[in-house]
Amino acid sequence: MIALTLAEIAAAVDGELVHGAADTTVDGSVETDSRLVTAGSVFFALLGEETDGHRFVPAAADAGAALVVTERAVDLPAGAATAQIVVADGYAALAALAHEVVARVRAAGALRVVGITGSNGKTSTKNMLRTILSRVGETVAPEGSFNNHVGAPVSMLRITADTRFLVVEMGASGIGHIAKLVRIAEPDVGVVLKVGLAHAGEFGGIEATERAKSEMVTDLPTTATALLNVDDDRVARMRGRTAARVVGFGTSAGADYRIGGVTTDRDGTRFTLTAPPVDRADARPGGPSSDPETVDVRLAILGEHHAMNAAAALSVAHLWGVPLSEGAAALASMTRAERWRMELLQGPDGVTVINDAYNASPDSTAAALRTLAQVARPGERTVAVLGEMAELGEYSVEEHDRIGRLVVRLGIGQLVVVGRGAMPLHQAATLEGSWDGESVFIEDVDDAVRALQEIVRPGDVVLVKSSKSAGLRFVGDRLGGVPE
């Protein structure tokens, strides 16, 4: 975090400094987990569903926290050189401090902020954009999927006075969540990747999901840019919900940044991207400052769907003055989008494993299955190990059924369904294909590991796909020979 006095922090979070000198300067990391506190850190004691962060204030102080922010006065260990600010709402205080820090760095320098949302692809796009922008200047982006009302502000607070680019992944589980994050970060560019059924059970349906994702662009000012996936009708019509300048990306004829020639195989994904002329002064397509540019993009990352994520990342960077050729060169250096996301592993006996079991929605699972069918070489058997796609609510049975039938229609050689929540997958595949053993249902993950040792043959190509809660990512690691 940038250096602030305790008085400045107390004013930013609308809190009362109950311990410590007002002119003391703090510039350590901001943490909500006391186990991550180091000397000089700021610890926010948040009230959670399962625990109360105030219980860990003494531990944070013992670890060297310079400041604890609490919702009530908490006794500190004797002799602790730890300041304390009491606030009415810890979550609101965290958001307020993040907003203050981002605003100060933006006012003092050339900080640019991008927010990324969508039902699928947020983390991959964030990682791709970080890879590109890091070659240009100091870039801050969250690790993993640190994208909610706690993780996103904490990520923002990692910026320094020298940070040029802040990449914020904005997830949500309900209406209003993204809007709050947008108000904190005030993005210069807001990216919407896709509106799908991921977390539809939490949102209350696809229409509510669309409303929630549109919050990324609704409150953007006219000076900002809304970067929209024009291939997705629900995203494209967000054009009418924003006062910001709108730029489209996709394969459609109306895309400003146009994707073409997408192919994928075992070596990765390739496509072309054509950019419009861009006025570098205000990042406005159609300006006089540059000529159209087309680049061949080569990703070591599997899956046609990653062409869309890469195009979004390249478009943001191009709007900010990074030539497509430089962005493409940066992306070519990436060996994976993220741990457990279309991660290619070479297991024993020539078994190839695609471990994509960190998140799963109907769209991402269908895309992963198509990739499995595409990358298999002649004579290789394809095996899909699928678990539950969580948080689908009333759509759960219908969408698992649809994916089960897709497995058959894609000609996947063997289906292994793991977990009671994924049972409709097995039932649908069996009915669709009149299979005899090609679909196997296993209720327990441990049993699945043992069964797969018998099912998987040398030379197979295996996709492991499920929501994180299903626990199959570790099954993928076992099959792929990743040490425990």
Side-chain angles (χ1 to χ4, degrees):
M1 187 183 74
I2 63 172
L4 295 172
T5 66
L6 292 176
E8 289 173 322
I9 295 173
V13 301
D14 193 22
E16 179 186 0
L17 179 62
V18 298
H19 189 267
D23 60 353
T24 299
T25 298
V26 175
D27 62 358
S29 67
V30 176
E31 309 293 351
T32 60
D33 184 337
S34 63
R35 294 169 295 184
L36 301 178
V37 170
T38 58
S41 292
V42 177
F43 174 64
F44 275 77
L46 301 178
L47 291 169
E49 294 181 0
E50 298 181 359
T51 189
D52 181 351
H54 294 79
R55 293 172 48 204
F56 305 102
V57 166
D62 287 338
L67 169 66
V68 293
V69 180
T70 63
E71 292 185 9
R72 60 178 183 270
V74 177
D75 291 335
L76 300 173
T82 303
Q84 184 174 180
I85 293 175
V86 177
V87 298
D89 184 319
Y91 291 97
L94 179 64
L97 183 59
H99 181 270
E100 177 72 12
V101 167
V102 172
R104 285 184 178 231
V105 176
R106 178 182 266 132
L111 178 68
R112 286 175 167 173
V113 181
V114 56
I116 302 171
T117 197
S119 298
N120 306 111
K122 295 185 295 296
T123 300
S124 296
T125 303
K126 174 259 299 181
N127 289 341
M128 290 175 177
L129 188 51
R130 174 173 53 195
T131 298
I132 297 170
L133 295 177
S134 292
R135 296 191 174 195
V136 179
E138 182 179 306
T139 301
V140 171
E143 298 296 331
S145 295
F146 221 40
N147 62 19
N148 63 8
H149 63 297
V150 175
V154 168
S155 297
M156 297 178 209
L157 286 163
R158 305 223 187 277
I159 64 175
T160 71
D162 296 322
T163 302
R164 283 192 60 191
F165 305 106
L166 172 61
V167 184
V168 185
E169 182 181 341
M170 296 186 178
S173 56
I175 301 295
H177 295 181
I178 293 174
K180 290 179 181 178
L181 297 179
V182 169
R183 286 194 291 271
I184 298 169
E186 297 181 349
D188 300 291
V189 176
V191 181
V192 185
L193 298 167
K194 189 174 184 61
V195 173
L197 285 171
H199 313 296
E202 292 184 334
F203 283 108
I206 190 69
E207 290 78 14
T209 302
E210 180 181 345
R211 289 198 302 275
K213 299 304 180 185
S214 70
E215 293 170 6
M216 173 60 77
V217 302
T218 301
D219 293 329
L220 291 180
T222 57
T223 54
T225 299
L227 184 65
L228 305 179
N229 171 8
V230 294
D231 287 5
D232 185 315
D233 291 341
R234 292 183 181 275
V235 176
R237 65 190 181 209
M238 293 179 191
R239 178 184 297 271
R241 300 177 184 173
T242 183
R245 180 184 310 119
V246 175
V247 176
F249 68 97
T251 62
S252 304
D256 299 290
Y257 288 86
R258 181 82 175 273
I259 300 168
V262 183
T263 61
T264 190
D265 57 26
R266 194 78 59 84
D267 296 323
T269 305
R270 292 170 297 283
F271 66 97
T272 62
L273 185 66
T274 300
V278 172
D279 180 352
R280 301 300 187 195
D282 67 353
R284 186 191 306 274
S289 299
S290 70
D291 295 324
E293 181 184 3
T294 297
V295 68
D296 292 321
V297 184
R298 295 179 174 271
L299 305 174
I301 302 165
L302 298 182
E304 289 185 354
H305 53 296
H306 279 302
M308 193 67 73
N309 301 332
L314 288 164
S315 299
V316 174
H318 187 258
L319 288 169
W320 286 347
V322 181
L324 288 188
S325 57
E326 292 184 17
L331 293 184
S333 70
M334 295 182 68
T335 58
R336 65 186 183 191
E338 177 81 3
R339 183 82 165 96
W340 298 308
R341 288 176 170 87
M342 297 301 287
E343 185 175 12
L344 188 66
L345 304 172
Q346 295 299 330
D349 298 322
V351 173
T352 300
V353 177
I354 304 170
N355 195 354
D356 193 30
Y358 191 84
N359 281 321
S361 69
D363 288 333
S364 67
T365 302
L369 286 167
R370 286 193 290 269
T371 300
L372 174 63
Q374 289 169 339
V375 303
R377 296 165 181 160
E380 293 179 330
R381 186 179 68 149
T382 51
V383 180
V385 182
L386 304 181
E388 182 179 12
M389 301 178 292
E391 300 175 353
L392 292 178
E394 63 181 292
Y395 301 97
S396 184
V397 172
E398 175 185 349
E399 292 301 319
H400 282 89
D401 181 280
R402 183 171 68 85
I403 293 298
R405 296 179 188 278
L406 179 63
V407 170
V408 177
R409 293 168 188 172
L410 289 172
I412 305 302
Q414 177 72 55
L415 173 63
V416 180
V417 177
V418 183
R420 179 64 53 180
M423 172 66 88
L425 266 167
H426 169 67
Q427 295 170 327
T430 302
L431 291 172
E432 180 76 11
S434 299
W435 282 359
D436 181 16
E438 289 91 341
S439 182
V440 176
F441 174 73
I442 303 170
E443 190 156 343
D444 180 77
V445 170
D446 291 333
D447 289 341
V449 171
R450 290 187 286 270
L452 286 166
Q453 292 172 346
E454 301 296 326
I455 293 171
V456 175
R457 307 170 188 164
D460 281 350
V461 184
V462 184
L463 168 70
V464 183
K465 180 71 174 173
S466 73
S467 290
K468 184 179 180 181
S469 58
L472 292 193
R473 61 196 185 282
F474 303 115
V475 175
D477 282 350
R478 291 278 294 275
L479 291 173
V482 176
E484 297 184 29

Short mmCIF file of all heavy atoms in Angstrom, two decimals, residues 66-110:
data_model
loop_
_atom_site.label_atom_id
_atom_site.label_comp_id
_atom_site.label_asym_id
_atom_site.label_seq_id
_atom_site.Cartn_x
_atom_site.Cartn_y
_atom_site.Cartn_z
N ALA A 66 1.19 -3.14 11.83
CA ALA A 66 1.33 -1.74 12.21
C ALA A 66 -0.02 -1.15 12.60
O ALA A 66 -0.08 -0.21 13.38
CB ALA A 66 1.93 -0.95 11.06
N LEU A 67 -1.10 -1.74 12.05
CA LEU A 67 -2.44 -1.21 12.28
C LEU A 67 -3.46 -2.32 12.18
O LEU A 67 -3.36 -3.18 11.30
CB LEU A 67 -2.77 -0.13 11.23
CG LEU A 67 -4.22 0.36 11.15
CD1 LEU A 67 -4.61 1.11 12.42
CD2 LEU A 67 -4.42 1.25 9.92
N VAL A 68 -4.43 -2.31 13.08
CA VAL A 68 -5.59 -3.19 12.94
C VAL A 68 -6.83 -2.31 12.82
O VAL A 68 -6.95 -1.29 13.50
CB VAL A 68 -5.74 -4.17 14.13
CG1 VAL A 68 -4.59 -5.17 14.15
CG2 VAL A 68 -5.82 -3.43 15.47
N VAL A 69 -7.70 -2.69 11.90
CA VAL A 69 -8.96 -1.97 11.70
C VAL A 69 -10.07 -2.89 12.18
O VAL A 69 -10.23 -4.01 11.65
CB VAL A 69 -9.16 -1.59 10.23
CG1 VAL A 69 -10.48 -0.84 10.05
CG2 VAL A 69 -7.99 -0.73 9.75
N THR A 70 -10.83 -2.45 13.17
CA THR A 70 -11.81 -3.30 13.82
C THR A 70 -13.17 -2.60 13.90
O THR A 70 -13.26 -1.40 13.71
CB THR A 70 -11.35 -3.66 15.25
OG1 THR A 70 -11.26 -2.45 16.01
CG2 THR A 70 -9.99 -4.34 15.22
N GLU A 71 -14.20 -3.37 14.21
CA GLU A 71 -15.53 -2.80 14.39
C GLU A 71 -15.85 -2.55 15.86
O GLU A 71 -16.92 -2.02 16.17
CB GLU A 71 -16.58 -3.72 13.76
CG GLU A 71 -16.50 -3.79 12.24
CD GLU A 71 -17.62 -4.61 11.62
OE1 GLU A 71 -18.56 -4.99 12.35
OE2 GLU A 71 -17.56 -4.86 10.40
N ARG A 72 -14.94 -2.92 16.72
CA ARG A 72 -15.07 -2.62 18.15
C ARG A 72 -13.66 -2.60 18.73
O ARG A 72 -12.74 -3.20 18.16
CB ARG A 72 -15.93 -3.67 18.86
CG ARG A 72 -15.38 -5.09 18.78
CD ARG A 72 -16.24 -6.08 19.54
NE ARG A 72 -15.69 -7.43 19.53
CZ ARG A 72 -15.95 -8.33 18.61
NH1 ARG A 72 -16.78 -8.05 17.60
NH2 ARG A 72 -15.40 -9.55 18.67
N ALA A 73 -13.48 -1.91 19.82
CA ALA A 73 -12.17 -1.84 20.44
C ALA A 73 -11.76 -3.23 20.93
O ALA A 73 -12.55 -3.94 21.56
CB ALA A 73 -12.18 -0.86 21.61
N VAL A 74 -10.55 -3.61 20.62
CA VAL A 74 -10.02 -4.92 21.01
C VAL A 74 -8.73 -4.70 21.77
O VAL A 74 -7.87 -3.92 21.34
CB VAL A 74 -9.75 -5.80 19.77
CG1 VAL A 74 -9.14 -7.14 20.19
CG2 VAL A 74 -11.04 -6.03 18.98
N ASP A 75 -8.58 -5.38 22.90
CA ASP A 75 -7.35 -5.27 23.68
C ASP A 75 -6.18 -5.85 22.89
O ASP A 75 -6.27 -6.97 22.35
CB ASP A 75 -7.48 -6.02 25.01
CG ASP A 75 -8.47 -5.34 25.95
OD1 ASP A 75 -8.67 -4.11 25.80
OD2 ASP A 75 -9.04 -6.03 26.82
N LEU A 76 -5.10 -5.09 22.82
CA LEU A 76 -3.90 -5.53 22.13
C LEU A 76 -2.92 -6.15 23.12
O LEU A 76 -2.95 -5.83 24.31
CB LEU A 76 -3.24 -4.35 21.41
CG LEU A 76 -4.11 -3.65 20.36
CD1 LEU A 76 -3.43 -2.39 19.85
CD2 LEU A 76 -4.39 -4.60 19.20
N PRO A 77 -2.04 -7.02 22.66
CA PRO A 77 -1.05 -7.62 23.56
C PRO A 77 -0.20 -6.54 24.23
O PRO A 77 0.10 -5.50 23.62
CB PRO A 77 -0.21 -8.49 22.63
CG PRO A 77 -1.11 -8.80 21.47
CD PRO A 77 -1.95 -7.58 21.29
N ALA A 78 0.18 -6.78 25.44
CA ALA A 78 0.99 -5.82 26.18
C ALA A 78 2.27 -5.53 25.41
O ALA A 78 2.96 -6.44 24.95
CB ALA A 78 1.31 -6.37 27.57
N GLY A 79 2.56 -4.25 25.25
CA GLY A 79 3.78 -3.85 24.57
C GLY A 79 3.71 -3.85 23.06
O GLY A 79 4.70 -3.53 22.40
N ALA A 80 2.58 -4.21 22.49
CA ALA A 80 2.47 -4.24 21.03
C ALA A 80 2.50 -2.84 20.45
O ALA A 80 1.80 -1.94 20.93
CB ALA A 80 1.17 -4.94 20.62
N ALA A 81 3.32 -2.64 19.43
CA ALA A 81 3.41 -1.33 18.77
C ALA A 81 2.43 -1.30 17.60
O ALA A 81 2.80 -1.02 16.46
CB ALA A 81 4.83 -1.09 18.29
N THR A 82 1.19 -1.60 17.90
CA THR A 82 0.16 -1.71 16.87
C THR A 82 -0.92 -0.67 17.11
O THR A 82 -1.47 -0.56 18.21
CB THR A 82 -0.49 -3.11 16.88
OG1 THR A 82 0.52 -4.10 16.70
CG2 THR A 82 -1.54 -3.24 15.79
N ALA A 83 -1.22 0.10 16.08
CA ALA A 83 -2.29 1.10 16.16
C ALA A 83 -3.63 0.42 15.90
O ALA A 83 -3.70 -0.68 15.36
CB ALA A 83 -2.05 2.21 15.15
N GLN A 84 -4.72 1.10 16.29
CA GLN A 84 -6.05 0.55 16.10
C GLN A 84 -7.02 1.64 15.67
O GLN A 84 -7.06 2.71 16.28
CB GLN A 84 -6.55 -0.13 17.37
CG GLN A 84 -7.89 -0.81 17.21
CD GLN A 84 -8.31 -1.60 18.44
OE1 GLN A 84 -9.36 -2.21 18.46
NE2 GLN A 84 -7.47 -1.60 19.48
N ILE A 85 -7.77 1.37 14.61
CA ILE A 85 -8.84 2.25 14.15
C ILE A 85 -10.14 1.48 14.23
O ILE A 85 -10.23 0.35 13.73
CB ILE A 85 -8.59 2.75 12.71
CG1 ILE A 85 -7.37 3.67 12.67
CG2 ILE A 85 -9.81 3.47 12.16
CD1 ILE A 85 -6.98 4.11 11.27
N VAL A 86 -11.15 2.06 14.85
CA VAL A 86 -12.46 1.42 14.98
C VAL A 86 -13.41 2.05 13.96
O VAL A 86 -13.53 3.28 13.87
CB VAL A 86 -13.02 1.57 16.41
CG1 VAL A 86 -14.42 0.95 16.50
CG2 VAL A 86 -12.08 0.88 17.41
N VAL A 87 -14.11 1.19 13.22
CA VAL A 87 -15.03 1.64 12.18
C VAL A 87 -16.40 1.02 12.40
O VAL A 87 -16.54 0.05 13.16
CB VAL A 87 -14.51 1.26 10.77
CG1 VAL A 87 -13.17 1.93 10.48
CG2 VAL A 87 -14.40 -0.25 10.62
N ALA A 88 -17.39 1.54 11.72
CA ALA A 88 -18.74 1.00 11.86
C ALA A 88 -18.91 -0.30 11.08
O ALA A 88 -19.65 -1.20 11.49
CB ALA A 88 -19.77 2.03 11.37
N ASP A 89 -18.24 -0.43 9.92
CA ASP A 89 -18.41 -1.58 9.04
C ASP A 89 -17.05 -1.89 8.41
O ASP A 89 -16.52 -1.09 7.63
CB ASP A 89 -19.45 -1.27 7.96
CG ASP A 89 -19.75 -2.45 7.05
OD1 ASP A 89 -18.81 -3.17 6.67
OD2 ASP A 89 -20.93 -2.65 6.70
N GLY A 90 -16.49 -3.04 8.74
CA GLY A 90 -15.17 -3.40 8.25
C GLY A 90 -15.09 -3.52 6.75
O GLY A 90 -14.11 -3.11 6.12
N TYR A 91 -16.12 -4.12 6.14
CA TYR A 91 -16.13 -4.29 4.68
C TYR A 91 -16.19 -2.94 3.98
O TYR A 91 -15.49 -2.70 2.99
CB TYR A 91 -17.30 -5.17 4.25
CG TYR A 91 -17.19 -6.60 4.68
CD1 TYR A 91 -17.82 -7.06 5.84
CD2 TYR A 91 -16.43 -7.51 3.95
CE1 TYR A 91 -17.70 -8.38 6.24
CE2 TYR A 91 -16.31 -8.83 4.34
CZ TYR A 91 -16.95 -9.27 5.48
OH TYR A 91 -16.82 -10.57 5.89
N ALA A 92 -17.05 -2.05 4.49
CA ALA A 92 -17.15 -0.72 3.90
C ALA A 92 -15.85 0.05 4.07
O ALA A 92 -15.44 0.81 3.18
CB ALA A 92 -18.31 0.04 4.54
N ALA A 93 -15.19 -0.13 5.20
CA ALA A 93 -13.92 0.55 5.44
C ALA A 93 -12.84 0.05 4.48
O ALA A 93 -12.04 0.85 3.96
CB ALA A 93 -13.48 0.33 6.89
N LEU A 94 -12.81 -1.25 4.25
CA LEU A 94 -11.85 -1.82 3.30
C LEU A 94 -12.06 -1.23 1.91
O LEU A 94 -11.11 -0.83 1.23
CB LEU A 94 -11.99 -3.34 3.27
CG LEU A 94 -11.06 -4.10 2.32
CD1 LEU A 94 -9.60 -3.93 2.74
CD2 LEU A 94 -11.44 -5.58 2.29
N ALA A 95 -13.32 -1.15 1.48
CA ALA A 95 -13.64 -0.59 0.18
C ALA A 95 -13.25 0.89 0.11
O ALA A 95 -12.71 1.36 -0.89
CB ALA A 95 -15.13 -0.76 -0.11
N ALA A 96 -13.53 1.62 1.18
CA ALA A 96 -13.23 3.05 1.20
C ALA A 96 -11.73 3.31 1.13
O ALA A 96 -11.28 4.23 0.44
CB ALA A 96 -13.82 3.69 2.46
N LEU A 97 -10.95 2.49 1.82
CA LEU A 97 -9.50 2.67 1.78
C LEU A 97 -8.97 2.36 0.38
O LEU A 97 -8.10 3.07 -0.14
CB LEU A 97 -8.83 1.78 2.82
CG LEU A 97 -7.31 1.92 2.92
CD1 LEU A 97 -6.91 3.36 3.27
CD2 LEU A 97 -6.74 0.95 3.96
N ALA A 98 -9.50 1.30 -0.25
CA ALA A 98 -9.08 0.96 -1.61
C ALA A 98 -9.39 2.10 -2.57
O ALA A 98 -8.57 2.47 -3.42
CB ALA A 98 -9.76 -0.33 -2.06
N HIS A 99 -10.58 2.67 -2.44
CA HIS A 99 -10.97 3.79 -3.31
C HIS A 99 -10.03 4.97 -3.12
O HIS A 99 -9.60 5.62 -4.09
CB HIS A 99 -12.41 4.20 -3.01
CG HIS A 99 -12.91 5.32 -3.86
ND1 HIS A 99 -12.78 6.65 -3.49
CD2 HIS A 99 -13.52 5.33 -5.06
CE1 HIS A 99 -13.29 7.41 -4.43
NE2 HIS A 99 -13.75 6.64 -5.40
N GLU A 100 -9.70 5.28 -1.89
CA GLU A 100 -8.82 6.41 -1.60
C GLU A 100 -7.43 6.19 -2.19
O GLU A 100 -6.85 7.10 -2.80
CB GLU A 100 -8.71 6.60 -0.08
CG GLU A 100 -7.76 7.71 0.37
CD GLU A 100 -8.31 9.10 0.09
OE1 GLU A 100 -9.52 9.22 -0.24
OE2 GLU A 100 -7.52 10.07 0.20
N VAL A 101 -6.91 4.99 -2.02
CA VAL A 101 -5.56 4.70 -2.52
C VAL A 101 -5.51 4.76 -4.04
O VAL A 101 -4.60 5.36 -4.63
CB VAL A 101 -5.08 3.33 -2.00
CG1 VAL A 101 -3.83 2.86 -2.75
CG2 VAL A 101 -4.80 3.41 -0.50
N VAL A 102 -6.49 4.14 -4.71
CA VAL A 102 -6.53 4.18 -6.17
C VAL A 102 -6.65 5.62 -6.66
O VAL A 102 -5.97 6.04 -7.61
CB VAL A 102 -7.68 3.32 -6.71
CG1 VAL A 102 -7.85 3.52 -8.22
CG2 VAL A 102 -7.43 1.84 -6.43
N ALA A 103 -7.51 6.41 -6.02
CA ALA A 103 -7.71 7.80 -6.44
C ALA A 103 -6.43 8.61 -6.27
O ALA A 103 -6.09 9.44 -7.13
CB ALA A 103 -8.84 8.42 -5.62
N ARG A 104 -5.69 8.39 -5.19
CA ARG A 104 -4.46 9.14 -4.96
C ARG A 104 -3.39 8.79 -5.98
O ARG A 104 -2.70 9.68 -6.50
CB ARG A 104 -3.94 8.87 -3.55
CG ARG A 104 -4.73 9.57 -2.44
CD ARG A 104 -4.10 9.32 -1.10
NE ARG A 104 -4.82 10.02 -0.04
CZ ARG A 104 -4.25 10.80 0.87
NH1 ARG A 104 -2.93 11.00 0.86
NH2 ARG A 104 -4.96 11.39 1.81
N VAL A 105 -3.24 7.50 -6.27
CA VAL A 105 -2.22 7.10 -7.24
C VAL A 105 -2.59 7.59 -8.63
O VAL A 105 -1.73 8.06 -9.39
CB VAL A 105 -2.03 5.57 -7.23
CG1 VAL A 105 -1.04 5.13 -8.31
CG2 VAL A 105 -1.53 5.10 -5.86
N ARG A 106 -3.87 7.52 -8.96
CA ARG A 106 -4.32 8.00 -10.27
C ARG A 106 -4.06 9.51 -10.39
O ARG A 106 -3.60 9.99 -11.44
CB ARG A 106 -5.80 7.70 -10.45
CG ARG A 106 -6.38 8.20 -11.76
CD ARG A 106 -7.85 7.90 -11.85
NE ARG A 106 -8.12 6.66 -12.53
CZ ARG A 106 -8.95 5.71 -12.11
NH1 ARG A 106 -9.56 5.85 -10.95
NH2 ARG A 106 -9.15 4.63 -12.82
N ALA A 107 -4.34 10.27 -9.35
CA ALA A 107 -4.17 11.72 -9.40
C ALA A 107 -2.71 12.12 -9.48
O ALA A 107 -2.37 13.15 -10.07
CB ALA A 107 -4.83 12.36 -8.17
N ALA A 108 -1.84 11.29 -8.91
CA ALA A 108 -0.42 11.64 -8.83
C ALA A 108 0.38 11.20 -10.04
O ALA A 108 1.50 11.68 -10.25
CB ALA A 108 0.19 11.05 -7.57
N GLY A 109 -0.16 10.29 -10.85
CA GLY A 109 0.64 9.76 -11.95
C GLY A 109 -0.19 9.35 -13.14
O GLY A 109 -1.20 10.00 -13.47
N ALA A 110 0.24 8.27 -13.78
CA ALA A 110 -0.39 7.83 -15.03
C ALA A 110 -1.09 6.49 -14.87
O ALA A 110 -1.13 5.68 -15.80
CB ALA A 110 0.66 7.74 -16.13
#
